[in-house]
Amino acid sequence: MNNEIKRQMEKIEVPEDLHERSKLGIMQVKQARKKYKRTSGWFIGVAASILFIGATFLIGGSHLTDAAETLLVKVFSLEEQEQIQEGIQKTAPDPEGGAVEAKAYLQQMEKHLQFAKEYLSPEEYEDYSRLIGDMMKIDMERIENPHADMTKLYKREEEILQDAQKYTDKLNALTNYTLEEAQEMVDFAINRPAYVPTGYDLEEEIAYTEEANPLEDPTITIKYGQTDGEFGFYLHIEKIAQDKYDELSTYDHIDSYELNGFAFQHAHDTPNVDTGNVQAMSVMIPGEEYEVIMVADILSKEEMEKVLLSMVEE
Amino acid sequence: MIVINRLVKKAQKGDEKAYITLFQQYEADIYRMAFVYVKNQEDALEIVQETAYKSFREIKTLKNPEYFKTWLIRIAINTALSHLSKGKKVVHLRPEYAETFSTNEKDVSLQITLQDLIERLNETEKSVVLLKYYEDHTMGEIASILDMPLGTVKTTLYRSLDKLRVQMKREDMYEQ
């Protein structure tokens, strides 16, 4: 019986892109963490970013009206752009959606180059844009040869990231702020949690804006870690937007409810006795288009509610 | 086991390359199990991807690395069931797949096709059969993984095998 069922199961053919999809799921965690870290540069691999933080790249209905006149074409030829679009379409779960996101990705790259050109010196921009082109070539290689030796690609990627660090640091400084600077951009009070669970210390706090609007709509991240341990939690205060990466939607269950007059959402996976309970929770800031999102490794639902209430209650 | 534990420890510190190496050892199994639930390649791939995502997100809190595979399979099954409940659509196995899976076994007691497994069993029955015969878990382990009383696991297994028109071996009937 044992062998017969196994034999039958082995008849299910494993698709060629299985490993690539596994890697993408794992890289998605890494990229989601990086999104709120913003210290290691702007570069994000196509395979990891466009398909799974794809919403970030959906920019209205705009398109590059004259591709030959763009900054992008100087570091990534039209032929290469078409190639990468085809590659993304082929590997996307939904080819039509993949085409849309591939175009949006190129638009975002172009906008980033425009931003970089404005704030870097000509020599800095020349070097930086070349590095962006090199990174995009690695992405293309990864998409076209999913079974290639990734060790070498990772190594090259690390080298490019290191070389670009000085430029990305300079550009990030234009969009990175302190909490006090971010406070000046909004009409509501940005509060650090008045309640912090015992055994946790503040590790990091940072605010940043998007390149498209460097002085508006900041996102604030506050991170806590255990004094003696590896676990922690982080808080994001960010503007609610339809096309933003939705942390809570990645969990099995989302419950919406009201607590002390505030609108809460609690997201969690189906319980698993072998692990702690990574959970997410959000609360809307009344009267504003902002919410606070919390992700915690091992805190209880009640502890999370206390932390969030301490940020929104007077 | 030592290699797995080492990879788990590295992954728990955020080493995604270690986790990719670790997950790769189980991805085919997870894909095939997912396929049994959702009956099509694209949804099965999505479940694999989601399982990879969720498990790496939560690996830091895995208390016992030696139970990594059991923990991972549990996440995969929950992800598949969650996927089905969100989709709420009925998918029938495509005819071309059914032809691939048919068997010409002459032994009546072992006359089981993958099509039977996929089409005749409900989600709970699939979980029990896959965990028992594809992943080689004991009834007790299955009860723990599915958070189900042992008696229910046994009843579900017998019903499933009945649906699959299979005669059990003696040891299967009395095994704990």
Side-chain angles (χ1 to χ4, degrees):
Chain A
M1 163 62 70
N2 194 359
N3 288 337
E4 178 57 19
I5 288 194
K6 277 195 182 163
R7 203 172 68 80
Q8 292 293 325
M9 290 290 284
E10 297 298 316
K11 288 182 178 180
I12 300 174
E13 267 186 42
V14 166
E16 269 188 16
D17 58 338
L18 172 65
H19 186 57
E20 196 59 31
R21 294 292 290 267
S22 299
K23 277 197 309 183
L24 290 174
I26 293 162
M27 292 307 293
Q28 188 184 3
V29 176
K30 193 181 177 203
Q31 293 304 335
R33 288 172 184 161
K34 259 194 195 170
K35 179 180 183 283
Y36 293 115
K37 197 168 166 59
R38 301 279 295 207
T39 55
S40 57
W42 190 84
F43 284 1
I44 28 185
V46 170
S49 64
I50 188 166
L51 296 176
F52 307 101
I53 313 180
T56 306
F57 295 104
L58 291 173
I59 306 172
S62 62
H63 58 280
L64 298 171
T65 50
D66 191 347
E69 295 298 318
T70 61
L71 295 176
L72 186 61
V73 78
K74 294 179 173 61
V75 298
F76 202 67
S77 69
L78 284 178
E79 196 185 329
E80 285 170 327
Q81 288 179 42
E82 277 172 24
Q83 239 178 305
I84 206 168
Q85 284 186 84
E86 277 170 23
I88 291 168
Q89 242 184 303
K90 246 191 320 189
T91 53
D94 159 32
E96 213 173 282
V100 169
E101 298 208 20
K103 278 202 173 104
Y105 169 72
L106 294 175
Q107 289 168 34
Q108 185 77 348
M109 286 299 198
E110 172 64 20
K111 282 183 182 289
H112 180 63
L113 285 171
Q114 289 171 5
F115 178 74
K117 196 165 200 277
E118 191 175 339
Y119 292 101
L120 295 175
S121 70
E123 296 76 22
E124 287 174 332
Y125 174 76
E126 194 180 324
D127 195 27
Y128 182 61
S129 59
R130 178 186 56 78
L131 291 168
I132 287 196
D134 289 346
M135 185 63 94
M136 290 177 75
K137 287 174 177 67
I138 289 180
D139 289 337
M140 191 160 68
E141 209 175 311
R142 189 186 278 127
I143 287 175
E144 294 195 339
N145 300 298
H147 304 295
D149 182 356
M150 292 297 161
T151 319
K152 289 183 185 156
L153 286 179
Y154 285 142
K155 193 164 179 288
R156 275 168 56 200
E157 207 170 54
E158 286 297 322
E159 286 166 2
I160 293 172
L161 281 171
Q162 266 186 344
D163 291 342
Q165 185 78 51
K166 52 186 178 291
Y167 306 124
T168 54
D169 281 350
K170 191 170 177 178
L171 293 172
N172 279 343
L174 297 166
T175 53
N176 285 2
Y177 301 94
T178 63
L179 262 65
E180 287 68 31
E181 288 168 335
Q183 180 67 81
E184 291 176 20
M185 298 179 201
V186 298
D187 294 328
F188 61 91
I190 296 175
N191 295 321
R192 294 175 179 87
Y195 172 78
V196 176
T198 307
Y200 286 83
D201 302 313
L202 177 66
E203 286 186 348
E204 185 183 24
E205 51 182 44
I206 187 171
Y208 68 89
T209 56
E210 299 295 335
E211 288 172 5
N213 305 297
L215 296 171
E216 295 172 20
D217 302 331
T219 295
I220 297 98
T221 296
I222 307 174
K223 195 175 162 198
Y224 289 83
Q226 284 182 317
T227 315
D228 301 308
E230 296 175 35
F231 302 128
F233 66 91
Y234 56 82
L235 303 148
H236 306 302
I237 306 169
E238 61 181 41
K239 190 160 188 175
I240 299 166
Q242 291 298 329
D243 58 351
K244 271 222 166 124
Y245 169 69
D246 183 6
E247 171 82 43
L248 272 64
S249 69
T250 63
Y251 292 78
D252 291 333
H253 312 284
I254 301 178
D255 306 312
S256 300
Y257 57 100
E258 198 174 280
L259 179 64
N260 293 11
F262 294 93
F264 271 78
Q265 283 198 312
H266 172 229
H268 56 103
D269 284 330
T270 304
N272 187 331
V273 299
D274 295 315
T275 62
N277 52 341
V278 177
Q279 301 176 77
M281 189 176 280
S282 71
V283 63
M284 288 186 56
I285 298 176
E288 306 293 335
E289 292 172 353
Y290 268 77
E291 62 182 340
V292 187
I293 297 169
M294 180 175 183
V295 179
D297 285 332
I298 57 169
L299 292 178
S300 68
K301 175 173 175 262
E302 291 68 31
E303 284 277 70
M304 293 174 77
E305 286 169 346
K306 281 173 82 170
V307 171
L308 288 177
L309 281 174
S310 78
M311 293 176 76
V312 294
E313 280 181 329
E314 289 186 23
Chain B
M1 178 59 74
I2 293 173
V3 174
I4 290 174
N5 280 0
R6 193 163 358 117
L7 287 172
V8 168
K9 294 285 184 202
K10 287 175 83 168
Q12 287 177 325
K13 291 186 191 327
D15 185 342
E16 77 277 4
K17 289 171 196 166
Y19 197 66
I20 288 169
T21 303
L22 184 56
F23 191 85
Q24 192 175 3
Q25 299 178 35
Y26 306 102
E27 63 188 14
D29 270 12
I30 292 171
Y31 173 80
R32 290 188 170 112
M33 286 179 64
F35 189 94
V36 168
Y37 290 98
V38 297
K39 306 175 199 173
N40 71 89
Q41 178 178 297
E42 194 39 55
D43 286 346
L45 279 172
E46 205 171 301
I47 287 166
V48 170
Q49 189 179 315
E50 267 187 62
T51 302
Y53 175 84
K54 282 181 187 168
S55 57
F56 187 48
R57 182 179 64 192
E58 309 221 0
I59 186 76
K60 208 162 62 161
T61 60
L62 175 61
K63 294 171 192 163
N64 300 304
E66 57 269 32
Y67 297 133
F68 173 76
K69 188 182 178 188
T70 305
W71 171 81
L72 186 63
I73 296 298
R74 187 202 296 251
I75 292 176
I77 290 175
N78 286 336
T79 302
L81 295 176
S82 181
H83 188 92
L84 285 171
S85 67
K86 281 176 191 166
K88 290 185 172 57
K89 63 180 180 184
V90 177
V91 177
H92 291 289
L93 193 59
R94 282 157 52 184
E96 51 268 40
Y97 283 134
E99 282 164 22
T100 308
F101 301 149
S102 65
T103 179
N104 291 319
E105 283 291 337
K106 289 182 182 170
D107 187 340
V108 172
S109 66
L110 292 176
Q111 196 165 27
I112 175 178
T113 68
L114 193 55
Q115 189 177 2
D116 286 337
L117 188 65
I118 290 173
E119 294 285 16
R120 286 172 172 267
L121 303 185
N122 65 33
E123 280 75 41
T124 305
E125 290 161 352
K126 283 175 185 174
S127 300
V128 171
V129 169
L130 288 173
L131 287 170
K132 174 85 176 83
Y133 295 113
Y134 191 53
E135 293 296 328
D136 298 322
H137 285 291
T138 64
M139 299 280 213
E141 287 167 346
I142 295 170
S144 172
I145 292 168
L146 299 180
D147 197 23
M148 194 185 276
L150 180 60
T152 307
V153 171
K154 289 185 179 178
T155 311
T156 304
L157 181 63
Y158 303 155
R159 186 175 64 239
S160 307
L161 296 176
D162 191 48
K163 283 187 182 181
L164 296 173
R165 298 188 303 275
V166 173
Q167 293 180 17
M168 288 179 293
K169 292 180 192 172
R170 272 180 104 75
E171 51 266 36
D172 281 342
M173 285 175 72
Y174 297 112
E175 184 246 306
Q176 291 288 323

